[in-house]
PDB file of all heavy atoms in Angstrom:
ATOM      1  N   ALA A 559       6.430 -15.287  -4.773  1.00 94.00           N
ATOM      2  CA  ALA A 559       5.327 -14.797  -4.152  1.00 94.00           C
ATOM      3  C   ALA A 559       3.981 -14.969  -4.953  1.00 94.00           C
ATOM      4  O   ALA A 559       2.925 -15.216  -4.309  1.00 94.00           O
ATOM      5  CB  ALA A 559       5.578 -13.319  -3.635  1.00 94.00           C
ATOM      6  N   TYR A 560       4.072 -14.633  -6.182  1.00 95.00           N
ATOM      7  CA  TYR A 560       2.924 -14.763  -7.109  1.00 95.00           C
ATOM      8  C   TYR A 560       3.307 -15.522  -8.336  1.00 95.00           C
ATOM      9  O   TYR A 560       3.811 -14.849  -9.260  1.00 95.00           O
ATOM     10  CB  TYR A 560       2.386 -13.307  -7.406  1.00 95.00           C
ATOM     11  CG  TYR A 560       1.583 -12.687  -6.465  1.00 95.00           C
ATOM     12  CD1 TYR A 560       2.039 -12.035  -5.450  1.00 95.00           C
ATOM     13  CD2 TYR A 560       0.158 -13.023  -6.270  1.00 95.00           C
ATOM     14  CE1 TYR A 560       1.261 -11.298  -4.464  1.00 95.00           C
ATOM     15  CE2 TYR A 560      -0.662 -12.534  -5.504  1.00 95.00           C
ATOM     16  CZ  TYR A 560      -0.084 -11.741  -4.492  1.00 95.00           C
ATOM     17  OH  TYR A 560      -0.875 -11.134  -3.476  1.00 95.00           O
ATOM     18  N   THR A 596       7.670   1.379  -5.614  1.00 97.00           N
ATOM     19  CA  THR A 596       7.136   0.765  -4.416  1.00 97.00           C
ATOM     20  C   THR A 596       5.870  -0.268  -4.740  1.00 97.00           C
ATOM     21  O   THR A 596       5.526  -0.975  -3.815  1.00 97.00           O
ATOM     22  CB  THR A 596       6.824   1.679  -3.334  1.00 97.00           C
ATOM     23  OG1 THR A 596       5.764   2.658  -3.791  1.00 97.00           O
ATOM     24  CG2 THR A 596       7.948   2.562  -2.903  1.00 97.00           C
ATOM     25  N   LYS A 597       5.254   0.099  -5.877  1.00 97.00           N
ATOM     26  CA  LYS A 597       4.049  -0.549  -6.045  1.00 97.00           C
ATOM     27  C   LYS A 597       3.772  -0.817  -7.513  1.00 97.00           C
ATOM     28  O   LYS A 597       4.445  -0.218  -8.318  1.00 97.00           O
ATOM     29  CB  LYS A 597       2.927   0.251  -5.457  1.00 97.00           C
ATOM     30  CG  LYS A 597       2.847   1.571  -6.110  1.00 97.00           C
ATOM     31  CD  LYS A 597       2.177   2.751  -5.296  1.00 97.00           C
ATOM     32  CE  LYS A 597       2.658   4.144  -5.773  1.00 97.00           C
ATOM     33  NZ  LYS A 597       1.668   4.766  -6.592  1.00 97.00           N
ATOM     34  N   ASP A 621      -6.207   9.859 -12.459  1.00 97.00           N
ATOM     35  CA  ASP A 621      -6.778  10.003 -11.108  1.00 97.00           C
ATOM     36  C   ASP A 621      -7.912   9.017 -10.846  1.00 97.00           C
ATOM     37  O   ASP A 621      -8.614   9.079  -9.812  1.00 97.00           O
ATOM     38  CB  ASP A 621      -7.141  11.359 -10.784  1.00 97.00           C
ATOM     39  CG  ASP A 621      -8.450  11.731 -11.617  1.00 97.00           C
ATOM     40  OD1 ASP A 621      -8.837  10.965 -12.535  1.00 97.00           O
ATOM     41  OD2 ASP A 621      -8.914  12.837 -11.319  1.00 97.00           O
ATOM     42  N   GLU A 624     -10.331   2.841 -10.627  1.00 95.00           N
ATOM     43  CA  GLU A 624     -11.443   1.921 -10.642  1.00 95.00           C
ATOM     44  C   GLU A 624     -12.255   2.104 -12.021  1.00 95.00           C
ATOM     45  O   GLU A 624     -12.722   1.048 -12.459  1.00 95.00           O
ATOM     46  CB  GLU A 624     -12.380   2.399  -9.522  1.00 95.00           C
ATOM     47  CG  GLU A 624     -13.576   1.390  -9.389  1.00 95.00           C
ATOM     48  CD  GLU A 624     -14.396   1.561  -8.083  1.00 95.00           C
ATOM     49  OE1 GLU A 624     -13.954   2.306  -7.269  1.00 95.00           O
ATOM     50  OE2 GLU A 624     -15.379   0.913  -7.956  1.00 95.00           O
ATOM     51  N   LYS A 652       0.260  10.516  -6.494  1.00 97.00           N
ATOM     52  CA  LYS A 652       0.133   9.202  -5.842  1.00 97.00           C
ATOM     53  C   LYS A 652      -1.096   8.430  -6.232  1.00 97.00           C
ATOM     54  O   LYS A 652      -2.126   9.096  -6.435  1.00 97.00           O
ATOM     55  CB  LYS A 652       0.201   9.390  -4.297  1.00 97.00           C
ATOM     56  CG  LYS A 652       1.520  10.007  -3.749  1.00 97.00           C
ATOM     57  CD  LYS A 652       1.655  10.131  -2.372  1.00 97.00           C
ATOM     58  CE  LYS A 652       3.015  10.420  -1.749  1.00 97.00           C
ATOM     59  NZ  LYS A 652       3.071  10.621  -0.368  1.00 97.00           N
ATOM     60  N   GLY A 655      -1.688   1.263  -4.862  1.00 97.00           N
ATOM     61  CA  GLY A 655      -1.225   0.167  -5.769  1.00 97.00           C
ATOM     62  C   GLY A 655      -0.778  -0.975  -4.931  1.00 97.00           C
ATOM     63  O   GLY A 655      -0.783  -0.935  -3.668  1.00 97.00           O
TER      64      GLY A 655
ATOM     65  N   ARG B 657      -3.408  -9.626  -1.165  1.00 96.00           N
ATOM     66  CA  ARG B 657      -3.058 -10.840  -0.486  1.00 96.00           C
ATOM     67  C   ARG B 657      -2.196 -10.572   0.952  1.00 96.00           C
ATOM     68  O   ARG B 657      -2.678 -10.991   1.969  1.00 96.00           O
ATOM     69  CB  ARG B 657      -2.377 -11.842  -1.223  1.00 96.00           C
ATOM     70  CG  ARG B 657      -2.461 -13.269  -0.532  1.00 96.00           C
ATOM     71  CD  ARG B 657      -1.848 -14.318  -1.411  1.00 96.00           C
ATOM     72  NE  ARG B 657      -0.466 -14.134  -1.440  1.00 96.00           N
ATOM     73  CZ  ARG B 657       0.541 -14.766  -2.254  1.00 96.00           C
ATOM     74  NH1 ARG B 657       0.005 -15.686  -3.101  1.00 96.00           N
ATOM     75  NH2 ARG B 657       1.731 -14.688  -2.172  1.00 96.00           N
ATOM     76  N   ALA B 693     -15.463   0.506  -5.292  1.00 95.00           N
ATOM     77  CA  ALA B 693     -16.776   0.667  -4.730  1.00 95.00           C
ATOM     78  C   ALA B 693     -17.773  -0.435  -5.113  1.00 95.00           C
ATOM     79  O   ALA B 693     -18.639  -0.893  -4.311  1.00 95.00           O
ATOM     80  CB  ALA B 693     -17.337   2.136  -5.167  1.00 95.00           C
ATOM     81  N   LYS B 720      -7.761   9.527  -3.616  1.00 97.00           N
ATOM     82  CA  LYS B 720      -7.034  10.366  -4.750  1.00 97.00           C
ATOM     83  C   LYS B 720      -5.622  10.706  -4.246  1.00 97.00           C
ATOM     84  O   LYS B 720      -5.286  10.654  -3.061  1.00 97.00           O
ATOM     85  CB  LYS B 720      -7.871  11.771  -4.955  1.00 97.00           C
ATOM     86  CG  LYS B 720      -9.215  11.490  -5.378  1.00 97.00           C
ATOM     87  CD  LYS B 720      -9.196  11.280  -6.916  1.00 97.00           C
ATOM     88  CE  LYS B 720     -10.874  10.952  -7.320  1.00 97.00           C
ATOM     89  NZ  LYS B 720     -10.838   9.867  -8.352  1.00 97.00           N
ATOM     90  N   SER B 721      -4.856  11.069  -5.201  1.00 97.00           N
ATOM     91  CA  SER B 721      -3.448  11.435  -4.996  1.00 97.00           C
ATOM     92  C   SER B 721      -3.260  12.292  -3.859  1.00 97.00           C
ATOM     93  O   SER B 721      -2.462  12.089  -2.934  1.00 97.00           O
ATOM     94  CB  SER B 721      -2.914  12.092  -6.281  1.00 97.00           C
ATOM     95  OG  SER B 721      -1.559  12.472  -6.132  1.00 97.00           O
ATOM     96  N   GLU B 725      -1.467  11.781   0.060  1.00 97.00           N
ATOM     97  CA  GLU B 725      -0.499  12.620   0.467  1.00 97.00           C
ATOM     98  C   GLU B 725      -0.870  13.321   1.915  1.00 97.00           C
ATOM     99  O   GLU B 725      -0.117  13.420   2.864  1.00 97.00           O
ATOM    100  CB  GLU B 725      -0.262  13.735  -0.566  1.00 97.00           C
ATOM    101  CG  GLU B 725       0.779  14.760  -0.104  1.00 97.00           C
ATOM    102  CD  GLU B 725       2.242  14.261  -0.346  1.00 97.00           C
ATOM    103  OE1 GLU B 725       2.407  13.186  -0.833  1.00 97.00           O
ATOM    104  OE2 GLU B 725       3.153  14.945   0.142  1.00 97.00           O
ATOM    105  N   THR B 729       2.724  11.852   4.251  1.00 96.00           N
ATOM    106  CA  THR B 729       3.618  12.247   3.066  1.00 96.00           C
ATOM    107  C   THR B 729       4.429  10.923   2.782  1.00 96.00           C
ATOM    108  O   THR B 729       4.911  10.909   1.629  1.00 96.00           O
ATOM    109  CB  THR B 729       4.530  13.392   3.454  1.00 96.00           C
ATOM    110  OG1 THR B 729       5.166  13.172   4.724  1.00 96.00           O
ATOM    111  CG2 THR B 729       3.655  14.643   3.578  1.00 96.00           C
ATOM    112  N   TRP B 731       3.525   7.935   2.669  1.00 97.00           N
ATOM    113  CA  TRP B 731       2.676   6.917   1.901  1.00 97.00           C
ATOM    114  C   TRP B 731       2.851   7.036   0.450  1.00 97.00           C
ATOM    115  O   TRP B 731       2.340   8.083  -0.014  1.00 97.00           O
ATOM    116  CB  TRP B 731       1.222   6.996   2.405  1.00 97.00           C
ATOM    117  CG  TRP B 731       0.327   5.884   1.989  1.00 97.00           C
ATOM    118  CD1 TRP B 731       0.791   4.579   1.510  1.00 97.00           C
ATOM    119  CD2 TRP B 731      -1.015   5.733   2.072  1.00 97.00           C
ATOM    120  NE1 TRP B 731      -0.280   3.810   1.235  1.00 97.00           N
ATOM    121  CE2 TRP B 731      -1.429   4.524   1.571  1.00 97.00           C
ATOM    122  CE3 TRP B 731      -2.130   6.554   2.414  1.00 97.00           C
ATOM    123  CZ2 TRP B 731      -2.739   4.072   1.536  1.00 97.00           C
ATOM    124  CZ3 TRP B 731      -3.449   6.187   2.418  1.00 97.00           C
ATOM    125  CH2 TRP B 731      -3.662   4.918   1.981  1.00 97.00           C
ATOM    126  N   THR B 732       3.375   6.027  -0.215  1.00 96.00           N
ATOM    127  CA  THR B 732       3.480   6.188  -1.753  1.00 96.00           C
ATOM    128  C   THR B 732       2.150   5.667  -2.345  1.00 96.00           C
ATOM    129  O   THR B 732       1.959   5.757  -3.451  1.00 96.00           O
ATOM    130  CB  THR B 732       4.597   5.329  -2.249  1.00 96.00           C
ATOM    131  OG1 THR B 732       4.353   3.867  -2.106  1.00 96.00           O
ATOM    132  CG2 THR B 732       5.916   5.486  -1.554  1.00 96.00           C
ATOM    133  N   GLY B 733       1.253   5.125  -1.549  1.00 97.00           N
ATOM    134  CA  GLY B 733      -0.033   4.486  -2.102  1.00 97.00           C
ATOM    135  C   GLY B 733      -0.035   3.042  -2.111  1.00 97.00           C
ATOM    136  O   GLY B 733      -1.031   2.371  -2.388  1.00 97.00           O
TER     137      GLY B 733
END
Side-chain angles (χ1 to χ4, degrees):
Chain A
Y560 278 94
T596 59
K597 64 204 159 101
D621 69 349
E624 183 170 3
K652 290 181 171 183
Chain B
R657 197 179 68 188
K720 300 279 179 222
S721 177
E725 182 73 12
T729 52
W731 189 13
T732 71

